[in-house]
Amino acid sequence: KLMEEFTGVKAKSIKLSEIDIHSFFSEDRLIGLPFDDKFVKDAFAIMPPARFSDFLRIMGLTDDSGGMIKNDEEWLNGIFSPESLIDSRDDVMLTLLRYGIDRKTAYAISIIAMKGKGAELIPIYHETSLHEKGVPEQYIESLKKIKHLYPKAYLVEDTVAQLRMIWYKINYPAAFYAAILSFIATNNEYDCDLLVLEDSEYFKYILNKDDLSNQRKMFFEIALECCARDIRFDFSLYKYWSDTDLYHMSIFMPEGNIIHLPYYTNVNL
């Protein structure tokens, strides 16, 4: 909602076809996005997304609550073939149907995998029939290791939301960073005044510390990326500050290529 407010562009009006997915991910500009972590970056490196379907697949494979990659580092080492990858509940059922498994059994196995019960139930009830139909051993092992799968419809909805965030980052970077910084700073007490230093070496020094929380790490990664993209931080936006405008006093405000710090920031440098 902040990105919509800052830019005047409604998220639902964004044309996903305008996003060059391949270029965006090849340039490693994931900072500030929900999927900026090592596992997802490794997945992008192994299987660079070039279109919506590729991105959708990686979102399913790297699901934080127990998708395939999170529970199977063998895939990241290139041991598993692409054919054995599983990104959604629907993917399981359709794959099993192609091997000749009857619809009722295929559905039952897809639900078992979705709930993370594969290791417990597949050897007892289904492994023999899967082998008889020629389902590859790698695929069966994948079904056993997965802890959770989303339905395809949920993944599509989530992927569309992520792509809209990417569109904002590409076309309105200052607004994107301001919105993410506002969210992080609202839930945590960080030294916002340090941002006006615009000192990339100092931000790197902080990021090299071992005790950083994930959100504090993102906070200073964004600061570093802003320096690299010539987006400046400032503390002189008085036109938004008034006794009746407490909301705007508490958030980062973009203005062109400048991000104005919240009113509560204690600048004493």
Side-chain angles (χ1 to χ4, degrees):
K1 289 188 177 297
L2 274 180
M3 293 180 204
E4 289 182 333
E5 177 187 338
F6 291 159
T7 64
V9 178
K10 295 294 184 183
K12 290 186 177 180
S13 72
I14 293 172
K15 296 180 180 179
L16 302 183
S17 59
E18 296 178 355
I19 303 171
D20 187 340
I21 295 175
H22 177 73
S23 295
F24 182 84
F25 285 100
S26 64
E27 294 173 12
D28 189 20
R29 293 187 289 173
L30 306 185
I31 292 171
L33 295 164
F35 41 84
D36 177 28
D37 66 36
K38 183 181 183 303
F39 258 102
V40 183
K41 285 182 175 179
D42 286 344
F44 286 140
I46 294 171
M47 191 170 60
R51 49 192 178 273
F52 180 87
S53 58
D54 299 334
F55 187 31
L56 176 72
R57 193 166 179 77
I58 292 178
M59 288 297 95
L61 292 170
T62 56
D63 166 32
D64 278 331
S65 59
M68 181 175 179
I69 291 179
K70 290 288 184 178
N71 295 283
D72 195 353
E73 294 194 38
E74 289 178 322
W75 181 81
L76 291 176
N77 295 325
I79 296 175
F80 273 29
S81 64
E83 292 75 22
S84 66
L85 301 181
I86 300 168
D87 59 23
S88 67
R89 183 194 67 191
D90 310 56
D91 187 44
V92 174
M93 184 168 178
L94 292 173
T95 298
L96 295 180
L97 288 174
R98 285 196 294 270
Y99 278 101
I101 304 294
D102 67 89
R103 182 170 293 273
K104 182 178 179 180
T105 301
Y107 178 76
I109 294 173
S110 72
I111 296 299
I112 288 172
M114 181 185 74
K115 295 181 177 180
K117 300 290 186 180
E120 175 186 348
L121 299 179
I122 286 178
I124 299 174
Y125 299 105
H126 302 292
E127 191 156 2
T128 299
S129 62
L130 290 174
H131 281 131
E132 289 175 350
K133 291 293 185 177
V135 178
E137 186 65 30
Q138 284 185 337
Y139 196 86
I140 297 172
E141 290 304 308
S142 296
L143 291 173
K144 294 178 185 177
K145 290 186 176 184
I146 288 171
K147 302 301 180 186
H148 179 267
L149 284 174
Y150 283 117
K152 182 76 79 175
Y154 175 88
L155 283 179
V156 169
E157 183 179 348
D158 186 54
T159 302
V160 167
Q162 307 304 337
L163 284 173
R164 286 169 176 161
M165 289 185 67
I166 288 173
W167 185 91
Y168 283 118
K169 185 171 186 180
I170 293 171
N171 295 281
Y172 295 92
F176 171 84
Y177 295 127
I180 301 300
L181 288 171
S182 295
F183 173 78
I184 296 174
T186 298
N187 295 279
N188 302 275
E189 291 186 7
Y190 294 148
D191 299 321
C192 295
D193 57 310
L194 294 177
L195 298 179
V196 297
L197 290 171
E198 297 176 349
D199 187 339
S200 58
E201 292 304 315
Y202 183 70
F203 296 151
K204 290 177 184 177
Y205 165 76
I206 293 177
L207 288 168
N208 283 329
K209 293 184 177 181
D210 296 329
D211 58 347
L212 288 181
S213 66
N214 288 336
Q215 287 210 325
R216 187 171 178 82
K217 180 174 180 286
M218 184 185 293
F219 185 84
F220 286 104
E221 282 179 337
I222 289 175
L224 186 61
E225 189 164 285
C226 284
C227 288
R229 302 186 69 177
D230 198 30
I231 295 173
R232 303 189 57 226
F233 293 97
D234 187 70
F235 189 67
S236 60
L237 187 60
Y238 295 102
K239 64 182 178 182
Y240 286 105
W241 298 345
S242 69
D243 292 337
T244 58
D245 196 15
L246 296 177
Y247 169 66
H248 287 105
M249 291 168 64
S250 65
I251 61 176
F252 290 78
M253 292 293 300
E255 187 178 37
N257 222 37
I258 296 173
I259 297 176
H260 299 277
L261 275 62
Y263 177 73
Y264 60 74
T265 305
N266 179 24
V267 177
N268 184 22
L269 301 175

